């Protein structure tokens, strides 16, 4: 059985105080809790270096003593939260970095008479780990951007970025092994990606990694997302699955921070940490501990204050209300019943509050006032919009999701943007029609965001239905039943150049029920034009140990929108949201047209309402027959996967997708 040796480094306090951060030591605490919760004590050894302990010499020493010399099946984990930066290479190894600047880790004592820890040095340390056959996993929650690319950040975000160095260190001040490698002209260029090394990074080298405040304190946005993924996914999850889940969560908050995954061969598709993660409990448990009632699910599992859990299959319904949420548990209060303190209860999530999306306005006072007045009357019956709430700029991070309205074009237009200022809709003139359309845009995008970020807290059904993608071979119109091609695991699809035109990729999408009971499924497609529909699989039972084909068994063509030119570099993203439940529910409330388009007929209709939690989560009003079934706490789950379709760099050029560039340390 492999063992996991983890070196966790977090630096909030630097020898140079102007570099201090707030969430890095919290990241280490979160990582430690996750590892101890999911890995048996006999299979886990943890070493921590925080603040003053995380000097350059201390990190190098711990890397060698704690992660070096492991067995062939062991896993070495290096998790770093702190500042990242850049610096020029010494003259002796100038050729090892094509961009001229090297990425660095800013240690506690860096820049106070001590060099940063260069990624070429980390490559030397990494080689010493993997040469014995061990697997090295590195998680870097730090910036890898250049100072010229840095932009002002909105309130509530802090960049883990230290200004780039202008002067290269002396080669003699770096690791002796690096100096020796540089002197050996016949050897490989220092810093190439190694077999046996899985590298997960918070952002691309041109971007900024951010930290912000969460319910349990400050954390790196990437660390929080990874923790969320590890806490929720099954014990057989792969590195790619964990990364995909975390990346979707990061990009849901910050569109300009795109995490990266780098691994050679099939390493990314192997089980995380060699498969030593312990399975999650089959269902959330209600128990009496510490003089109060609590459930063993918390913020990392998608629980928010105000949620409700119900005793599974109880009739009449017995619920508890979530009063306080911690990382992996929540304090609850029984609603109208008195549980036995000596007994434990199987619970499922029965109600999820959907707080409105926070909207901050960066505009002249009269424009902000007109927008606020319009929001107050944009809801049903002339009341406030249930989906958006105007907040001060200083309170942007108070709610789970946020949008921004900014004034531009010398004060003549307004535009909806994300909290990172990326435009989400085209600008509009500041007149009555423009104000009205802006509020409609906000309401539309908020509904879309609410669904894409839905989460279920009960683990019982999260892995019950597996989404599978099978490439459609040329000329094949129906899915193969026998001798199927290998499943697609990396959901990055590319157009193919035929010599005359670009041909979009096609895949068969399958829903495989891994349990022995029938389950009701809906597959939503959320496009990056803010459309949401259930045409692929609008709502049917999937029998136990059966595989259902989405799209009526036809191949699904993954193509760019009609108004987007098919040219090298073009890219589009869809999010597939799988809803699974023990009882049927309606997919109709989830229908949403493209932004600024009116509703059109759906290709296939959804079932009409059976009262339940997934019906209540539908964001459009539909008629429901509340007498169809008594309120019963049935189980349900949600799974979201991100699918990217792109046009490669050109018919005669290699793939230029920046996410697939080889690692450079």
């Amino acid at each position: 059985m492999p063992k996991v040796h983890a070196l966790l480094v977090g630096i909030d306090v630097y020898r140079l105080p102007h570099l201090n951060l707030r969430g890095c030591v919290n990241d280490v605490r979160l990582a430690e809790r996750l590892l101890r919760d999911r890995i048996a004590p006999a299979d886990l050894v943890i070493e921590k270096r925080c603040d003053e302990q995380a000097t350059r010499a201390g990190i190098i020493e711990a890397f060698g003593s704690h992660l070096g010399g492991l067995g062939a099946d062991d896993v070495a984990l290096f998790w770093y939260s702190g500042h990242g930066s850049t610096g020029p290479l010494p003259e002796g190894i100038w050729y090892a970095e094509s961009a001229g600047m090297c990425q660095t880790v800013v240690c506690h004592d860096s820049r106070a008479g001590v060099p940063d820890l260069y990624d070429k040095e980390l490559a030397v340390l990494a080689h010493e780990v993997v040469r014995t056959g061990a697997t090295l996993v590195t998680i870097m929650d730090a910036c890898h951007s250049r100072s010229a690319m840095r932009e002002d950040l909105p309130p509530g975000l802090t960049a883990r970025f230290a200004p780039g160095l202008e002067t290269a260190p002396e080669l003699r001040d770096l690791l002796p092994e690096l100096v020796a490698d540089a002197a050996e002209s016949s050897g490989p260029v220092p810093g190439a990606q190694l077999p046996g090394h899985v590298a997960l990074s918070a952002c691309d080298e041109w971007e900024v990694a951010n930290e912000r405040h969460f319910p349990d304190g400050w954390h790196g946005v990437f660390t929080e997302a990874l923790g969320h993924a590890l806490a929720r996914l099954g014990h057989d999850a792969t590195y790619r699955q964990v990364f995909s889940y975390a990346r979707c969560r990061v990009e849901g908050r910050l569109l300009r921070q795109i995490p990266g995954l780098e691994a050679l061969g099939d390493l990314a598709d192997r089980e995380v940490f060699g498969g030593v993660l312990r399975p999650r409990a089959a269902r959330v448990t209600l128990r009496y501990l510490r003089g109060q009632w609590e459930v063993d699910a918390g913020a990392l599992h998608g629980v928010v204050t105000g949620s409700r859990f119900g005793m599974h299959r109880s009739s009449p319904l017995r619920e508890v209300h979530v009063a306080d949420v911690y990382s992996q548990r929540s304090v609850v209060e029984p609603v109208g019943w008195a549980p036995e303190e000596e007994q434990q209860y199987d619970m499922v999530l029965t109600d999820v509050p959907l707080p409105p999306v926070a909207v901050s306005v960066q505009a002249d006072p009269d424009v902000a006032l007109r927008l606020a007045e319009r929001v107050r009357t944009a809801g049903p019956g002339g009341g406030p919009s249930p989906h958006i709430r105007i907040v001060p700029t200083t309170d942007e991070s108070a709610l789970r999701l946020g949008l921004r309205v900014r004034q531009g074009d010398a004060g003549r237009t307004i535009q909806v943007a994300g909290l990172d200022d990326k435009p989400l809709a085209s600008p509009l003139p500041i007149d009555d029609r423009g104000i009205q359309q802006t509020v409609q845009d906000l309401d539309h995008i908020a509904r879309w965001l609410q669904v894409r970020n839905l989460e279920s807290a009960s683990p019982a059904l999260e892995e019950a239905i597996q989404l599978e993608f099978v490439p459609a071979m040329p000329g094949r119109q129906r899915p193969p039943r026998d001798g199927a091609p290998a499943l697609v695991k990396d959901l990055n699809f590319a157009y193919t150049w035929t010599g005359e035109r670009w041909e979009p990729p096609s895949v068969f999408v399958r829903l495989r029920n891994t349990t022995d009971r029938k389950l009701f499924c809906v597959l939503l497609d959320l496009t990056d034009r803010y459309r949401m529909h259930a045409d692929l699989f609008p709502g049917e039972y999937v029998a136990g140990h059966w595989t259902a084909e989405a799209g009526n068994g036809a191949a699904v063509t993954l193509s760019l929108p009609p108004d987007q030119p098919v040219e090298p570099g073009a890219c589009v993203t869809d999010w597939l949201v799988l809803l699974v439940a023990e009882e049927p529910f309606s997919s109709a409330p989830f229908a949403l047209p493209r932004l600024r388009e009116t509703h059109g007929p759906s290709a296939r209709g959804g079932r009409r309402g059976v009262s339940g939690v997934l019906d209540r989560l539908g964001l459009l009003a539909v008629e429901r027959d509340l007498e169809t079934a008594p309120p019963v706490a049935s189980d349900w789950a949600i799974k979201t996967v991100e699918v990217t379709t792109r046009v490669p760099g050109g018919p005669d050029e290699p793939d230029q997708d920046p996410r697939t560039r080889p690692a450079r340390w």
Side-chain angles (χ1 to χ4, degrees), residues 184-254:
E184 179 55 57
S185 59
S186 62
V189 174
Q193 179 76 16
L194 297 170
H197 178 196
V198 182
L200 297 95
S201 55
C203 62
D204 185 74
E205 63 174 306
W206 304 100
E207 297 170 339
V208 175
N210 298 283
E211 62 176 28
R212 58 165 284 188
H213 190 268
F214 291 92
D216 62 337
W218 281 79
H219 286 291
V221 175
F222 183 54
T223 290
E224 191 275 343
L226 270 180
H228 199 271
L230 288 169
R232 295 178 60 86
L233 294 180
H235 66 284
D236 58 350
T238 66
Y239 292 105
R240 195 185 305 280
Q241 290 169 335
V242 169
F243 169 76
S244 178
Y245 193 104
R247 184 179 69 188
C248 184
R249 188 170 176 86
V250 170
E251 293 182 17
R253 292 189 171 101
L254 302 168

Side-chain angles (χ1 to χ4, degrees), residues 89-98 178 181-185 187-190:
L89 286 169
E91 182 64 25
I93 53 172
W94 65 268
Y95 55 85
E97 183 61 50
S98 60
L178 182 61
D181 289 345
E184 179 55 57
S185 59
V189 174

Side-chain angles (χ1 to χ4, degrees), residues 30 34 224 227-229 231-232 298-303 326-328 455:
L30 175 62
L34 283 167
E224 191 275 343
H228 199 271
R232 295 178 60 86
L300 289 175
H301 308 102
V303 181
Y326 300 92
S327 294
Q328 300 192 71
E455 294 172 335

Side-chain angles (χ1 to χ4, degrees), residues 481-663:
R481 189 169 182 84
D482 299 314
L487 301 179
V488 175
K489 296 181 179 179
D490 181 0
L491 300 182
N492 253 317
F493 297 95
Y495 274 67
T496 302
W497 180 252
T498 66
E500 299 179 354
R501 64 182 183 274
W502 288 106
E503 192 71 31
S506 295
V507 295
F508 297 105
V509 181
R510 293 172 164 174
L511 288 74
R512 184 182 297 277
N513 188 344
T514 64
T515 73
D516 57 3
R517 52 182 171 149
K518 66 177 183 179
L519 295 168
F520 192 85
C521 300
V522 167
L523 184 60
L524 302 176
D525 183 2
L526 280 66
T527 75
D528 60 4
R529 301 301 175 91
Y530 302 105
R531 183 188 178 207
M532 180 164 51
H533 65 87
D535 294 346
L536 288 175
F537 202 84
E540 295 289 345
Y541 275 111
V542 179
H545 298 296
W546 188 255
T547 300
E549 301 287 342
N552 247 353
V556 177
T557 300
L558 305 173
S559 60
L560 300 179
D563 59 345
Q564 184 172 351
V566 180
E567 57 188 13
C571 181
V572 66
T573 301
D574 286 73
W575 289 265
L576 297 183
V577 178
L578 175 64
L579 310 176
V580 184
E582 293 178 318
E583 303 291 341
F585 60 93
S586 175
S587 62
F590 295 97
L592 202 62
R594 291 186 181 91
L595 188 64
R596 298 184 185 174
E597 289 185 2
T598 58
H599 270 288
S602 177
R604 298 174 65 191
R607 290 174 180 257
R608 301 302 294 274
V610 174
S611 179
V613 64
L614 286 174
D615 284 308
R616 292 197 296 273
L617 290 176
L619 302 182
L620 301 177
V622 293
E623 293 182 3
R624 296 180 177 89
D625 181 0
L626 297 181
E627 301 301 322
T628 302
V632 175
S634 59
D635 206 359
W636 59 282
I638 291 175
K639 179 187 298 184
T640 301
V641 297
E642 181 180 347
V643 179
T644 300
T645 305
R646 53 189 167 74
V647 182
D652 300 316
E653 300 176 16
D655 183 359
Q656 298 297 311
D657 184 353
R659 298 183 190 177
T660 62
R661 283 199 300 266

